[in-house]
Structure formats: structure tokens, C-alpha cells
Amino acid sequence: MFIGRRTELGVLEDTYKKSGFQMTVIYGRRRIGKSRLITEFIEGKKASYYVASQSSIEDNVRKWSAQVIKDLAPDMDGVTFDSLESFFIFIGNLSKKQKIVLALDEIPYMAEADESFLSKFQVAIDTILDKKNIYLIICGSAISFMEKEILSEKSPLFGRRTNQIFLKPFDYLDSAEFVPSYSCEEKAIVYGVTGGVAKYLTLFDDRLSLDENLINNFFKTSGYLYEEPLNLLTQEFRTISTYNTVIEVCAGGANKVNEIADKAKVSTATLAYILKSLSTIGVISKVVPITEKENRRKASYVISDGMYRFWYSFIPTAKAAIEMNRGDVFYKNYVKDKLHAFMGSVFEEMCRFYTLSKGLEGKLNCLVTNVGGWWGPGHDHIPTDIDVVVIDNVANKAIIGECKFKNEVIDKEVYDALVNRRGLIDKRYEEVGLMFFSLSGYSKWMKENTDPDKTKLITIDDMYTD
């Protein structure tokens, strides 16, 4: 069953319908579903799909040509090509009778095997493929490579592509389709611990309990996700010890550059490079209060990938128990009661997504141009934060909101606390409403004493069904 990616499939289908040579570049982090998107798109089309290997360029050309012949010219079975030029001439001839789709996955492997590959590819496009009825799809998981070597102006392939798709994790709504029989609370937790990454979502079987899935995937030595972050880091970086330490420090609560550098025992210059690298692959993000985008002093760094965040929160401490086949005991006695606390920041992200979606549909008291969070000194100069801040930069209006992923209803105390935070964000914005998001609903007082036109009471069920 293929889930989501309707927009991306639409881009591929619209491009396929155009006559002549077309080229789409698809890139995104590992496990995100690039290969699945391509195979879904080429279903029923005259197409060939090849995944490059970490071997010589000659070996890749032989394997690639063998795959193309198997898919598009089976009567030539056994024939392979040793040179790129002769192979591309053959490809061009194949497209004379009908349009073909040629998909090359993990192009960085071929480019790294032969530094002249991209230049040769460019020549083939300009002199052979550009005049043919071919739809070329090239794909890669090394985001920095794809951006610098394929998409940038310095790339030999610059100007040849029709479009590009940066494949990102599923949002919480699409993620829910992988576990349709779960409750909204359970769907949210699955989204939280997988980060919306396609491969990880497929690991969750909603015929089993949420606890069983978490134990099977994270808290067993045989679990797919037990060593996943370290495996991914090893694929991205030559040495991972410092990267691992920086992530551990961030997971422990450090989020300022000087604090992270001090605890990780690295220089700020080294840390800047590491943070940039981890940001490129989507593990860590820099966040600032929504109304202070240019204020570097208030910038914080957080683990933005849900799977990494969950793993570094619990697995290092659980390793001894897991290695003794007692990971289930650790989970039940230490992790399960902390799931709601872990979900706090995840739920805030979900609420911001929901708010932006509803704002763009015109269902809020202002035109939404941006959504984020805010933190800083309160009216009493004690540090505080606002979970959701909706900004209308056209009319200079704002809405502020509070999120609670807890087994208790939101009551007057929470309402009063948010009201007391009014006026903390930039003074140029008129605050025109309040929003509350609750896992467990609202008290009688909240339902009877708040103005529905100015205060929205949203449940987690609303977020999945509204």
C-alpha cells in the first residue's frame, strides 16, 4: 500500500506528460521513501530503475546497462556496455519508438567513483538525450552532495533539470495512515518516535500494541532501530564519535553554542561545522523565537529528528538491559511513563502544523503568514515560553497558544497562565485570540467561561479529524 506523497507524484506525472527530454532531481535523507516514490511512479510505464553501488564506474555502467536491457530490451539479454558514451547512445536509440523513463538512484556513488562522471553525464544529456523523448530521474541521499554537486550553479548538470523534489518526512496526518487502527494518542506517539520517516513508519504494525512495537523496534538487539542512528551517522561521516557526543549533549538539554561546545569538549569553530553538517542531514535544527529571527544570541539548537530524539533520550541508558534481553523491563519501568513528557515538544510541532493549515484555510481570526514558538523573560523577568505563536505580518496581528500532551484536562489555571503571557511578544502585533491544544480535553470551567470566537479549545481528536 502506497501512502501519501500525492503532491510529489503529481509533479512526476505532470513532468512525464511533457514531450521531449525532461529531468527531475529527487533528494532527501536516507529511509525517507525516495526509492518507493520512484517505483510507485514508474509502475505501468516503459521504465528502468537502477540503484548505483559503491564500486567502480565500470562496474556500475555494466550493472546499469544490464538493468536497462532487462527492463527495456529483454531480447538483448546478456549484452552490457563498458563505456558511458556507447551506453547513452543505446539509451537514445531505445527512445525512438516510445517515451521511456530512466531512473538512476544514489548518483553520488557514481560521481565519487569517477570525478569526471558528472561532466560526461552532462555531455551525454546535451548531445544525445536532450533530443530524445526521455524522462530522466536522478536521485540521492547525500543531501549536501546533491545540493552542491547536482543542483548548484557550479554543477555540470546545472540548467539541465526540469524541476527538483526535496523529499521530507511525512506530517503527522499522513503518518497516521500507517497505523489506522490506533487511537489518536497512539498515532501521535508513533509520529513522534519515527519523525515521520517512511521506513520507520512501516515498522509499526497496528495489530500489535504500541508498547510491543516500541519494544520490538528499539529495545531489542534485533530491533531495526536499536542501532539505527549510529548506522546512519557512519554512512554520512568518516568518524562519528564527536558527532555522537554533540547529539548526546543536545539530548541532555544543552542548546546554546557555548554550552554545547563546553560539554562536548570541542571548540566553537569545530562545533559550528558539526552543527551545520547535522543540520544538513536533518538531525539538528537551529530555532529562534518567532519574532526575533535576526537575534543570534537567542538561537538554540535542538534535535529535530524524532527518531534520533527518542533514541538519544532512552537507548544509551537502556543498552545494558537490552544486551541482556531485558529491554522490555527497562521500557515498562522507565520509558513508558515518560512518553508524554517526551511528546511535549513533538505535540507543539503538531499543533503549529495544524494551526498553519487552518490559518491558510481562513479558519482563524487573522491571515496566517508564519507560525512558531516564543521564549524569553516574562512580565516578572522570569524565563517563560509560548508554545504556539501565530503571526499575521500583513495586518500585524497574532494569536498565542498553549499545548498539553497530558492525562489531565486543561483547566482555569492553564488558561490564566497563557492570558498572563499576553504582551510578551513583539509589541507591534495585536493579539486577537487564544488557542489551546489538549490530549485529554477541557474542564467544565473552560467550556463555560471562554468565548469561542476568541478562544479555541482543540482536542487531539480535532487535530486528526477536523
Side-chain angles (χ1 to χ4, degrees), residues 1-3 5 8-9 12-13 26 33-51 67 71 101-105 137 139 167:
M1 181 178 176
F2 186 77
I3 294 174
R5 305 301 189 203
E8 292 84 358
L9 275 177
L12 294 174
E13 290 290 352
I26 301 175
K34 301 181 296 298
S35 301
R36 184 69 181 87
L37 172 64
I38 294 172
T39 55
E40 178 69 18
F41 165 69
I42 65 176
E43 181 70 28
K45 297 179 175 66
K46 195 71 174 176
S48 180
Y49 172 53
Y50 172 69
V51 182
Q67 185 66 56
D71 295 333
V101 181
L102 190 66
L104 172 60
D105 202 347
I137 299 173
C139 181
L167 207 60

Side-chain angles (χ1 to χ4, degrees), residues 418-437:
L418 184 60
V419 169
N420 289 335
R421 295 188 188 114
R422 280 177 164 171
L424 291 178
I425 65 172
D426 196 305
K427 302 297 183 184
R428 73 175 181 269
Y429 296 110
E430 176 193 359
E431 295 176 17
V432 295
L434 304 175
M435 299 182 76
F436 293 88
F437 300 85

Side-chain angles (χ1 to χ4, degrees), residues 29 233 237 242-251 254-255 257 260 271-272 274-287 300-306 308-309 312:
R29 59 152 291 174
L233 291 176
F237 310 112
T242 308
Y243 290 89
N244 181 56
T245 300
V246 168
I247 301 173
E248 285 183 337
V249 166
C250 289
N255 57 27
V257 168
I260 298 170
L271 179 62
I274 291 172
L275 290 174
K276 182 178 180 181
S277 299
L278 291 173
S279 296
T280 299
I281 63 173
V283 175
I284 281 181
S285 294
K286 181 173 75 172
V287 294
S300 298
Y301 290 86
V302 297
I303 301 177
S304 50
D305 183 289
Y308 277 85
R309 190 188 301 147
Y312 278 91

Side-chain angles (χ1 to χ4, degrees), residues 50 70 103 113 129 146 170 183 192 240 260 267 306 310 312-313 318 335 399 410 427 433 463:
Y50 172 69
K70 177 183 178 182
L129 305 184
M146 297 298 290
F170 288 110
S183 68
I240 69 167
I260 298 170
S267 68
F310 183 80
Y312 278 91
S313 295
V335 179
I399 299 171
I410 289 182
K427 302 297 183 184
M463 293 173 64

Side-chain angles (χ1 to χ4, degrees), residues 15 106 124 192 207 243 254 257 322 336 403 464:
T15 308
E106 296 300 358
R207 293 170 297 181
Y243 290 89
V257 168
I322 296 172
K336 187 172 182 177
C403 313
Y464 279 96

